[in-house]
Amino acid sequence: KRMFGGWGISVDGMNIAIIAWETLFLKTNADTEPQWLAAGGEPFVFEAKGKRMKLNYHTPPAEALESPALMLPWARLALEAAVTARKPKRRS
């Protein structure tokens, strides 16, 4: 579906990816972000009302874009992040 001037990719109603500015960004969270950054992933950043905003989406490694086998672990991480975001938060 259309999103941020690009496209959103969903599985079972959960957003797992965004394609914006001809770039693929996969869903991340605080737990998985270090893996994305260590692999050279760039965050999804945009400007709104004069402020830089960052969403929990990062680019996968460049080599994964041309290889289904190399993309699979990154796609799984994105799905896990989406599932975690969907779960209700526990009350303390």
Side-chain angles (χ1 to χ4, degrees):
K1 59 183 150 173
R2 300 273 304 148
M3 198 174 176
F4 297 106
W7 297 93
I9 299 171
S10 300
V11 172
D12 292 332
M14 298 177 289
N15 287 334
I16 62 163
I18 297 170
I19 299 173
W21 311 295
E22 299 182 16
T23 303
L24 174 67
F25 297 88
L26 295 171
K27 180 89 171 144
T28 62
N29 61 27
D31 293 332
T32 63
E33 184 179 38
Q35 293 173 66
W36 295 88
L37 294 175
E42 295 290 329
F44 180 84
V45 179
F46 64 99
E47 193 167 311
K49 298 181 182 177
K51 291 185 179 181
R52 284 178 45 99
M53 307 292 287
K54 183 182 119 182
L55 296 182
N56 287 328
Y57 290 86
H58 287 74
T59 58
E63 63 272 9
L65 294 172
E66 299 299 326
S67 168
L70 294 177
M71 181 60 78
L72 184 59
W74 299 104
R76 284 188 173 141
L77 273 178
L79 181 58
E80 288 173 21
V83 168
T84 300
R86 177 186 260 186
K87 289 181 183 175
K89 299 209 182 339
R90 289 185 179 185
R91 293 185 182 189
S92 302

